[in-house]
Amino acid sequence: MRAPIPREDDFRSRLRSPAMAARIGLWLGICFGIAFVTGLISHYAQQPHQPVPFPTRPSWGYQVTQGLHVVAGTAAVPLLLVKLWTVFPKLFSRPPRRLAELLLHGAERVSIAVLVAAAIFQLSTGLANTAQWYPWSFHFRATHYAIAWVAIGALLVHVAVKLPLIRSALASDLDSDALDRPGTTRAAGVLSRRGLLRTTWGAAGIATLATAGISIPWLRQVSVLGVRSGAGPQDVPINKSAAAAGVLATATSAAYRLTVRAGGHALSLSLPDLQAMLQTTASLPIACVEGWSAGATWTGVPVRDLLDRVGAPAGSDVTVISLQGSGPFRVTTLPANFADDRRTLVALELGGQPLSIDHGFPCRLIAPDRPGVLQTKWLTSLEVDA
Amino acid sequence: MIRISLVGAGLSAAAYGGLLLAQRGWANFEATLTWLIGGVVLHDALLAPATLAVAWAALRLVRRERLGPWAVGVVLLGPLTLLAIPVLGGFGVRSDNPTLLDRDYWAGWGGLVVVVVVGILVARHAERWRRSRVPVSVPVSVPEPISVEGGAHGPRDGGR
């Protein structure tokens, strides 16, 4: 007579074994570690006030870390699914009878439930965010960041609990049955352990190749599931259009002026005024938090030159304001080290042509090694507090 | 000692995450909790039983020793399809931004399916061809059983 709910030892496959779970878990842990560290970097880069200034060099730094963030998260999807498959029988393990053991068992079950919930949450919300799909009501950035800490914390606890088993499993032969669950058959199944491992690495590889072209240009042709092909006005994709920002009229108005202010000194510059100033050209990537990036050549006036005109001393943080009426990044802080870097421009041109309206016409901020959301478009004001 | 430090660090990190979440207020927490629980329920109560059902049906429809390549196909394409849901659904498409989700994702997904299926068929035929060329009298190790295993021993109980 069979129980309606399976027992752990009803699952007999040799593939659902610690030997497999430890090996896939190792790579899954590496992916989560990379995503966590690069996530922290991205979060810090977006902080308006940084105790240690985020560096302006290398200019492609953020492009690489955020590209890695999304690639690691994407590669983790097949790894997580196969890992959960290999340990699924544990879901049905019977709790021990003795109270002390029961408490420990319960605590471990809770930690694993938290880990699995947080891991699925991070991967699913992160993936949806890359495609700008928000079928939820929580604040994405803050919540993805909070749950990242929960996930990495639960992962550390899980590794601590399983450490002896992980060590034994990684040290023994893949086909050893010494650590197998009771009831595991010794007979060969549909796939060998090595076969499933190789297939899992293959699945992670295909997932990476199919999506990574958003940050690695030479992969664009094969990244058929990438959220962007790389095409766009002036060969650079856009994240927020002028229409969405509600700036179509104000950005193209003849009355447009860029205000630069420091203390009591203020300057009001029209587009021809800006064009008349000494122009600088810089090759800087635009790298979005959603993982995509594109290299581009920008021409405009160094922010530092404008600050000099109003007597703002070196080492001043700058408040950057966009024409857009609302949005979390309408007003941002450009830290002093970015403002003083000669490659940080109020850009007027992209690829030798005036900025298209969706790229921030009449002028936008472009700075090295900076998240795309902080590369403010449709600039209206640069302000330094006295 | 390492394990105790790991537990300490882990509990601190998770508690910090919980604190950050709490700071966003109750409505945010409720919405987050729905997704946290929803993800586990979708996996444990839907996806995992579905894979069991598929495996059960496959074992009854196809001989075990011929299932290997199709298991490889499921592992390669299943997760890939799940992670492609946001782009396949095109939920984030915006009429004012043609640079976002600007590929034919169904065609791309179909292409990947074709590549994987063709790859599996080629690998299967290559393996059969290799096996057929192994002289019977010379002891030779069996080729790497990446796709099919247990063929020489007949079907055995290895399932669930």
Side-chain angles (χ1 to χ4, degrees), chain A residues 224-274:
Chain A
V224 292
L225 301 179
V227 289
R228 287 161 192 279
S229 68
Q234 299 171 294
D235 287 332
V236 176
I238 56 167
N239 221 25
K240 187 166 202 167
S241 70
V247 298
L248 282 171
T250 46
T252 52
S253 162
Y256 170 82
R257 295 290 182 276
L258 172 69
T259 307
V260 185
R261 188 179 61 76
H265 301 276
L267 204 60
S268 185
L269 299 162
S270 65
L271 181 57
D273 294 336
L274 287 164

Side-chain angles (χ1 to χ4, degrees), chain A residues 295-312:
Chain A
T297 305
W298 311 86
T299 303
V301 183
V303 167
R304 191 60 247 170
D305 288 357
L306 292 165
L307 298 179
D308 286 343
R309 297 264 296 255
V310 291

Side-chain angles (χ1 to χ4, degrees), chain A residues 12-13 16 88 133 137-139 143 146 153 160-161 185 192 198 203 220 223-224 226-229 238-239 241 244, chain B residues 3 10 13 17 24 28 31-32 40 48 52 76 91 94 96-97 99 101-103 105 144-146 149 157-160:
Chain A
R12 303 188 59 207
S13 168
R16 305 203 198 234
F88 189 61
W133 176 33
S137 58
F138 50 80
H139 184 285
T143 310
V161 172
T185 178
S192 67
R198 288 183 176 173
R220 273 182 191 162
S223 286
V224 292
V227 289
R228 287 161 192 279
S229 68
I238 56 167
N239 221 25
S241 70
Chain B
R3 298 176 74 192
R24 299 298 309 186
N28 195 80
T32 307
V40 177
L52 286 175
L76 291 180
F91 309 104
R94 293 183 56 102
D96 65 301
N97 186 357
T99 73
L101 300 174
D102 59 347
R103 292 175 181 271
Y105 294 104
E144 186 56 53
I146 184 162
E149 205 188 8
D157 183 14
R160 296 161 287 279

